Amino acid sequence: MQSVQREPNKKLSKKWKLAFIIALLIFIAAFVYISRPHEIIIEPTDEEIIILQVEPEDIIELTIKPKKGKSYTLEQIEADSFRLKGDENYQLDIDMVSDMFDIAASITAVDAMIESIDIIKAREYGIDENSLKVKIVLNTGKTHTYILGYEIKTEVPMRYMYCANSGTIYVTKINYPDILNYTIKELHTVPPLNFSSELVDSMQISENTGRNIEIIRREDMWSFVSPIKYPISNDSAKKLCDNIEAMRLAVFESEAAESKLNNYGLDEPRAKVTFNIAKSNVSVTNIIDDNKDSYEVDEHSIQLLLGDDFDDIGFYCLYYGNIYKASHLSMGFLLQMDIEEMYIKNPVNIAINALKEMSIIRADERNIYTLDFVETVLPNNQISTDEYGNILYDMCVYKNGQEIESMEWTSKYMLLTQLNIDGTLPYDFTPESSPLLIIKLIYEGGERNITFYPYDALHAAMSIDDIFIHYISLDKLSEIEL
């Protein structure tokens, strides 16, 4: 029997398979790149095609269908006087609305891409039901409608724009969505919260976890009253003041009908925040004659209720009968206050010009230093002032009733203000012996008693007004020369 010669199947090697796949991918990528109209290269030009050019007051209605949100219509009753059609009591941000009418009065392009395009074909350019749609009604009765499509990746960013009246797709370098793509909620007025931290006498945060925080300010000194009475460090006080003055409500969400509160976690808010504001005088300048009028604002309170989070970027906030969105960036500190981190770390942090008396008490010695500030008198018997007219003072220091060199004392006191803690005591610490050292401070707005007790071989336990939180090195105490 004659044997049959079989030839082996010729298969592509792995090397050629890989080359083929890479070539196929390159071909597909090139095809997609060429076929996508929003990635073509357009050279910017200084010439503009004017599609619509009118005065803003010629627009009587502006209907906006934002990319995310329902359609709404803004009416211009008279020049720079606007209202929401169907709800004349809706509180519009007039500046934002005015900007919208201004930009809608001038619609320009740099190129007419395609004329009389079918609306279905226009989807390739990002023109669809999810696009920003702008309808402009003029006082002549004419109506103009534009739909904004894909952004074009060019050196000068541009965008496709469809003119519904003519069916033409244009390319424009004016980024109309920046000014026009607002939901009606985003156009609602948002009240300011930018009151000065200098006017805050106290603040309370009552959390639904049961934690209650109360902070008071006396002169420039900030302290916790709850959960314990303890001073706040200067750095933490400054950060708190900065945070208070940076607070902003972001966007109007809804009127606070009782039935809606549970939709935002405000029927049982996770925190209730109250700022108690001191009496103050407010000056207002008359723009006509530049005269300043001053009026008094009585003590009052500002209350915020904080509800559920939204989109991981903020939370809902109830303020004066309306629900707003607030961002974690501007107001999150109200929910994330680290009390222990805010405790004072330098117990003697009283500025010299606020200090009235200091006592240093040891087992075998007691020294009382009192400070007196007297007006600086010039050789001509005139009172010395600085460049702003503020009176300058000389400081006199008395030790146990006898005047001492103020500069030497000041140097030693400044070293004392640098005394800082070294660690945290056990929660249940109680002293078992007499104190090693007591520092008593009397200053404008309050008093502070700082007491040091034996703790271990290297450290002393420290209490401030009988509250034990930190310990400090014995070596640091031994360096106190006062």
Side-chain angles (χ1 to χ4, degrees), residues 368-399:
I368 300 175
Y369 300 90
T370 55
L371 279 67
D372 189 18
F373 294 90
V374 296
E375 297 169 342
T376 302
V377 180
L378 298 172
N380 60 1
N381 290 325
Q382 295 294 316
I383 302 298
S384 179
T385 60
D386 61 16
E387 57 183 317
Y388 303 105
N390 300 312
I391 296 176
L392 299 177
Y393 293 87
D394 290 326
M395 182 180 70
C396 299
V397 181
Y398 301 88
K399 178 180 179 180

Side-chain angles (χ1 to χ4, degrees), residues 22-36 39:
I22 292 174
L24 181 62
L25 290 175
I26 292 173
F27 174 77
I28 293 172
F31 176 78
V32 171
Y33 180 82
I34 293 170
S35 63
R36 290 181 69 188
E39 291 193 356

Side-chain angles (χ1 to χ4, degrees), residues 65-76:
K65 168 57 180 72
K67 295 186 70 172
K68 295 181 180 180
K70 296 180 179 180
S71 178
Y72 59 89
T73 298
L74 303 169
E75 297 179 307
Q76 185 166 206

Side-chain angles (χ1 to χ4, degrees), residues 250-293:
V251 179
F252 170 82
E253 177 64 26
S254 171
E255 293 183 355
E258 187 135 351
S259 59
K260 292 183 179 180
L261 292 180
N262 64 334
N263 295 333
Y264 304 99
L266 290 165
D267 52 336
E268 296 180 3
R270 56 175 162 168
K272 174 182 174 182
V273 183
T274 304
F275 294 94
N276 298 308
I277 311 299
K279 182 185 293 186
S280 62
N281 288 310
V282 177
S283 296
V284 178
T285 302
N286 190 313
I287 60 174
I288 298 175
D289 55 16
D290 284 338
N291 287 332
K292 287 189 177 181
D293 296 325

